Amino acid sequence: QLLVQSKRIEALYEVAQSTQIYHDPSLVMLKGLRSVMKATNSDAGLGCFHDTKSGHIEIAALEGLSQYFMQEVEKRIQTSTLIHMTIEQKESLIFKNIQEEPLALVDVVRKEGLKATLVVPLIYDGKVTGVLVLYRRDSHSYEQKDIDLVNAAATQIAIASRQAEYFIAEKQQAELMSLLSKYTNPKEIAQHSFPLIQKHFACKRMWFGVLNEQATHIMGMAGFGPAVRRRIIDIQIELYLRHDFLDEALSNKRAVLVKENQEMECSGLNALIKRLNLGAFVILPLVALNQVVGVIILEPSISSEAFILKRLPILNRIGSEIATTILARRFENKIAEAD
């Protein structure tokens, strides 16, 4: 009994340590998963993150599971009933034999030889930010003490992973501000923004436009990628015309994904879409002080909708930093002209 208690205390201590050591959410998840597996005598496990805004679910860590399991679960996790049930109910689920649970991915868990299962939500600020799943290859069911331990560890993992996300966001923000502060006008900022975006969101092509002073047009400033020539860069978008997805992005001040072959009426933007024969693309408004100062059109290298949706929060942060720099330079120029 003392040995069991010691293992549980050690597991919670290791999870707590990860909040101080690791600055990557996936590493926090992996360290926490390994710790609770050890403490509960689990044979395998997985940890996934849940984006509370988009609903996207991403596997962050696996342990003791085959390549086949990983591939199958990655393909089907967005529709996994048990994961969604845990997210919606915000409560742990326990199964003596997951192979007999009709809501599970029965063919996958059966091939993997998994039986006793414990599914636990990661809750931060009242929202489910992820899920831990522990497995045993026998039917020795998890007990209440196991649930209590994993719930306690899940709370620590949720906090630690969110802290890691904040750390990464702050680091990105500092890097962006440092790099963009070197440039003095919108065209320079536009040209040097592309490699910064590529570090976080691989793109085939990008187009950068800035709102004119009268807020009637978006004027092309720079472009990047195959077939993005001067006539593409110089496109102007008249805002009084109809623009289905562009209007949505500018109104909500958030990035919008336009799926490949999506029917749309976008007036001036149509020239850009047709000339470049764009597939799926993202409309990223550049917003600072609740004011739109421009827009970037990005065609991702990876067309996976799940991948694109996952990166939208990062793109919104980058767009905000670019917009802040443009506004700051405009303000400085007006002061200089007044002097």
Side-chain angles (χ1 to χ4, degrees), residues 14 31 70 104-105 140-141 173 213 231 244 256 262 268 280:
E14 287 184 10
K31 181 70 173 179
M70 183 183 73
L105 302 177
H140 181 65
S141 187
Q173 183 178 20
E213 294 284 347
R231 63 175 183 163
D244 291 343
V256 170
Q262 177 77 52

Side-chain angles (χ1 to χ4, degrees), residues 86-148:
T86 306
I87 292 169
E88 290 166 10
Q89 295 180 357
K90 299 183 181 180
E91 292 180 355
S92 300
L93 301 175
I94 189 166
F95 304 95
K96 186 172 183 179
N97 188 350
I98 193 68
Q99 297 180 23
E100 297 173 357
E101 172 52 53
L103 297 179
L105 302 177
V106 176
D107 58 324
V108 180
V109 294
R110 186 170 290 160
K111 186 168 184 176
E112 200 72 15
L114 305 173
K115 291 186 177 179
T117 302
L118 176 60
V119 189
V120 177
L122 275 60
I123 300 176
Y124 180 86
D125 198 22
K127 297 178 181 177
V128 177
T129 58
V131 175
L132 278 176
V133 187
L134 301 180
Y135 300 105
R136 290 174 179 161
R137 288 192 165 89
D138 57 46
S139 299
H140 181 65
S141 187
Y142 290 96
E143 301 174 15
Q144 187 59 47
K145 59 187 179 182
D146 296 314
I147 298 173
D148 293 341

Side-chain angles (χ1 to χ4, degrees), residues 68-294:
Y68 164 80
F69 182 94
M70 183 183 73
Q71 291 173 342
E72 287 301 309
V73 172
E74 276 188 336
K75 286 189 290 188
R76 297 153 67 176
I77 196 167
Q78 304 304 325
T79 56
S80 170
T81 308
L82 291 182
I83 296 289
H84 282 287
M85 187 182 299
T86 306
I87 292 169
E88 290 166 10
Q89 295 180 357
K90 299 183 181 180
E91 292 180 355
S92 300
L93 301 175
I94 189 166
F95 304 95
K96 186 172 183 179
N97 188 350
I98 193 68
Q99 297 180 23
E100 297 173 357
E101 172 52 53
L103 297 179
L105 302 177
V106 176
D107 58 324
V108 180
V109 294
R110 186 170 290 160
K111 186 168 184 176
E112 200 72 15
L114 305 173
K115 291 186 177 179
T117 302
L118 176 60
V119 189
V120 177
L122 275 60
I123 300 176
Y124 180 86
D125 198 22
K127 297 178 181 177
V128 177
T129 58
V131 175
L132 278 176
V133 187
L134 301 180
Y135 300 105
R136 290 174 179 161
R137 288 192 165 89
D138 57 46
S139 299
H140 181 65
S141 187
Y142 290 96
E143 301 174 15
Q144 187 59 47
K145 59 187 179 182
D146 296 314
I147 298 173
D148 293 341
L149 169 72
V150 181
N151 275 327
T155 299
Q156 292 184 334
I157 294 169
I159 294 170
S161 58
R162 186 50 58 95
Q163 288 175 339
E165 287 178 6
Y166 289 151
F167 175 83
I168 291 172
E170 288 173 4
K171 186 179 178 183
Q172 289 172 347
Q173 183 178 20
E175 288 176 352
L176 282 167
M177 291 301 287
S178 174
L179 290 166
L180 293 174
S181 63
K182 302 173 185 176
Y183 309 113
T184 57
N185 61 65
K187 186 160 284 190
E188 284 186 342
I189 293 169
Q191 290 169 343
H192 290 90
S193 293
F194 294 145
L196 300 180
I197 293 171
Q198 283 281 35
K199 284 177 64 177
H200 304 285
F201 188 83
C203 292
K204 293 180 189 175
R205 289 175 286 206
M206 289 183 265
W207 179 88
F208 190 121
V210 174
L211 198 66
N212 66 353
E213 294 284 347
Q214 297 76 31
T216 59
H217 292 69
I218 294 175
M219 304 177 296
M221 286 285 160
F224 161 86
V228 182
R229 300 186 175 87
R230 175 52 55 187
R231 63 175 183 163
I232 298 290
I233 293 172
D234 289 341
I235 284 174
Q236 293 194 16
I237 301 173
E238 300 170 84
L239 294 180
Y240 66 88
L241 298 174
R242 176 183 167 186
H243 309 90
D244 291 343
F245 293 96
L246 178 61
D247 289 344
E248 179 186 342
L250 298 181
S251 174
N252 295 335
K253 300 180 175 64
R254 307 293 293 176
V256 170
L257 167 63
V258 182
K259 299 177 184 178
E260 188 171 2
N261 299 320
Q262 177 77 52
E263 288 187 16
M264 58 186 293
E265 175 53 50
C266 227
S267 301
L269 192 56
N270 278 341
L272 182 69
I273 297 165
K274 290 177 180 177
R275 288 179 188 176
L276 294 179
N277 191 27
L278 295 180
F281 64 94
V282 174
I283 303 173
L284 174 65
L286 307 179
V287 182
L289 301 177
N290 205 36
Q291 176 183 346
V292 177
V293 299

